[in-house]
Amino acid sequence: MNNRQRVLDHLAGRPVDRLPLMPITMMFACAQIGATYLDYCTDYRVLVEGQIRTASLFDFDHVNTMSDPAREAADCGARVEFFEDQPVAIVESEALLADKSKLLRLRQPDPLGGGRMHNGIQALDLYRERVGHNRIIEGWVEGPVAEAADLRGINALMTDFIDDPKFVRDLFDFVLEMELRFAREQVNAGADIVGLGDAAASLLGPDLYNEFAWPYEKRLVDGIHSFGAKVRLHICGNTRKILEGMGKLGCDIVDLDSLAPLEEALAKMGPDQVLLGNLNPVTALRNSTPEAITAAIAECHRQAGRRYIVGAGCEIPRDTPLQNVHALCQYAHQHQP
């Protein structure tokens, strides 16, 4: 059983030889090849090399295209700032839609138009050439709340939910169309799974989440499924109040941050939902010991039950000791669901 088949069989509820292993790595993967993070974010060949090297070193079951959340916003014309060895940042003080009327004139970017989205798609093409059917190939899109916050500015968007709900829905319509186009091209390029990152959604209470975010997340999930790919949902932060809604999206994997207990997710989403996570990446992984990590991930497994995938609650920090990452991985390598 190779890495890719292990994940697909586990998602289908078929027996597997061990627990799947799909932690998020970005800066950590870049560090394994000694590249600058600027190159990792802007040159798909560097990203692919870092991911493949890391997956091989730790026997991960997947490789991914994540580097930062600014791909789509940059291609829309938002001002982003690049750094030599830090992630790309959106300049929120000069938000593209600080003037809401600009949404009427904003054109959909072409995912194959040579911009940052295209760079991510080129990574998938190269993965397909180099990885083939040996590991899961994972693409990524921003969710409706996260991308709207990138374009409008997160503070402005949060007040828009109350002051101008029609604008929020119009903006979400724009984002949905863009992300579906991006996702379709990623699947065409070889993505088995498309991750859906909607970090800012954790800032919404359940009423706003269910009224605004959930319907658009659901349409995005259903759209990705219609293209023939699986969906991995990741919402950074404390999602405890929206776990039930997240579980109704129909995602193949729900990847939980450390602030949302796996046992609560299991209770609210049901025993058939595949859960991934959720060690605190800093306190329980980077700053921990191999022995403590083994015990902590065993507790995650106990809480999540049989439909479990090993990973941290979010990105593994760049300077995490290698022996700590090996401890995380060894649990997956030595245990069955």
Side-chain angles (χ1 to χ4, degrees):
M1 176 173 289
N2 69 16
N3 300 87
R4 179 176 183 270
Q5 195 60 50
R6 178 178 299 113
V7 174
L8 296 178
D9 283 355
H10 188 62
L11 295 182
R14 294 188 289 267
V16 293
D17 57 339
R18 66 163 173 82
L19 286 169
L21 175 63
M22 298 178 64
I24 294 174
T25 58
M26 292 183 278
M27 298 189 78
F28 181 84
C30 179
Q32 303 315 302
I33 59 171
T36 68
Y37 204 64
L38 176 63
D39 288 341
Y40 188 89
C41 291
T42 58
D43 187 338
Y44 69 93
R45 294 163 296 188
V46 176
L47 184 150
V48 166
E49 185 61 35
Q51 281 290 311
I52 291 178
R53 179 82 60 86
T54 304
S56 298
L57 179 62
F58 297 99
D59 198 19
F60 291 171
D61 291 313
H62 76 134
V63 289
N64 71 57
T65 62
M66 287 183 286
S67 64
D68 62 89
R71 280 188 179 129
E72 295 96 308
D75 284 1
C76 286
R79 185 183 167 200
V80 301
E81 192 168 358
F82 294 87
F83 305 93
E84 184 71 10
D85 219 18
Q86 293 293 330
V88 182
I90 295 168
V91 183
E92 184 166 343
S93 62
E94 300 179 30
L96 183 66
L97 296 180
D99 177 355
K100 291 185 291 186
S101 69
K102 289 185 178 180
L103 178 61
L104 297 173
R105 303 186 297 276
L106 192 59
R107 299 181 61 182
Q108 287 286 338
D110 180 2
L112 300 177
R116 297 205 67 219
M117 285 190 284
H118 197 179
N119 187 70
I121 291 168
Q122 288 175 299
L124 293 165
D125 280 325
L126 188 54
Y127 279 142
R128 183 160 53 181
E129 175 186 329
R130 294 189 55 186
V131 174
H133 294 293
N134 294 320
R135 298 187 197 273
I136 285 289
I137 299 173
E138 184 178 63
W140 204 266
V141 296
E142 293 298 298
V145 188
E147 185 59 28
D150 290 343
L151 296 172
R152 170 70 171 143
I154 194 165
N155 293 317
L157 178 68
M158 291 299 140
T159 60
D160 289 336
F161 283 111
I162 305 302
D163 296 341
D164 197 347
K166 182 183 183 303
F167 169 75
V168 172
R169 292 189 175 92
D170 289 343
L171 177 53
F172 280 12
D173 283 333
F174 178 92
V175 169
L176 179 66
E177 180 182 350
M178 175 175 65
E179 300 299 355
L180 284 173
R181 293 176 67 189
F182 188 22
R184 182 188 295 111
E185 295 300 340
Q186 292 185 63
V187 177
N188 290 343
D192 300 301
I193 294 177
V194 176
L196 194 174
D198 208 9
S202 65
L203 300 177
L204 303 180
D207 291 341
L208 286 177
Y209 175 79
N210 291 329
E211 180 181 355
F212 289 95
W214 190 91
Y216 285 90
E217 289 179 349
K218 179 60 174 171
R219 289 162 66 185
L220 186 50
V221 169
D222 289 348
I224 294 169
H225 280 154
S226 75
F227 304 149
K230 309 293 186 184
V231 180
R232 170 182 182 169
L233 176 69
H234 182 77
I235 299 179
C236 296
N238 190 344
T239 55
R240 297 175 75 172
K241 294 183 179 181
I242 60 172
L243 287 174
E244 186 174 356
M246 292 165 61
K248 293 179 179 178
L249 289 170
C251 298
D252 302 275
I253 302 169
V254 173
D255 180 347
L256 287 180
D257 204 339
S258 59
L259 295 172
L262 288 160
E263 60 187 352
E264 287 188 22
L266 182 66
K268 293 182 178 180
M269 298 181 187
D272 292 329
Q273 178 64 66
V274 176
L275 298 174
L276 188 155
N278 70 334
L279 294 184
N280 184 300
V282 177
T283 60
L285 187 57
R286 177 186 179 274
N287 297 344
S288 190
T289 65
E291 295 76 19
I293 291 164
T294 299
I297 204 67
E299 175 61 14
C300 289
H301 186 191
R302 185 197 67 78
Q303 289 188 26
R306 61 184 177 83
R307 306 302 306 279
Y308 180 57
I309 296 176
V310 174
C314 199
E315 178 189 4
I316 292 178
R318 170 170 50 187
D319 56 350
T320 301
L322 297 186
Q323 65 266 27
N324 289 8
V325 181
H326 279 297
L328 177 77
C329 300
Q330 285 171 2
Y331 186 89
H333 296 157
Q334 296 171 2
H335 290 81
Q336 294 180 325

